[in-house]
Amino acid sequence: MEKYVCDLCGYVYDPAEGDPDNGVDPGTAFSELPDDWVCPLCGAAKDDFSPLE
């Protein structure tokens, strides 16, 4: 599964880790995140993330 990076603050969403502090289980692909999920560091929307090269 592909990692995604926040274009605003540099936070990397790693599907292997998920975002357990915000109810996202490990193994959750970025595309499967709820539409209202936001960056846990800066609050940016999913639209502000790009695939990590």
Side-chain angles (χ1 to χ4, degrees):
M1 284 187 276
E2 196 170 21
K3 295 179 182 178
Y4 279 73
V5 61
C6 178
D7 298 330
L8 302 180
C9 75
Y11 168 80
V12 175
Y13 175 77
D14 183 349
E17 296 178 11
D19 182 13
D21 291 342
N22 293 297
V24 178
D25 293 331
T28 303
F30 187 80
S31 62
E32 296 172 353
L33 291 172
D35 290 336
D36 61 352
W37 181 84
V38 296
C39 177
L41 295 185
C42 74
K46 279 179 67 177
D47 291 344
D48 292 317
F49 280 72
S50 301
L52 188 62
E53 303 271 330

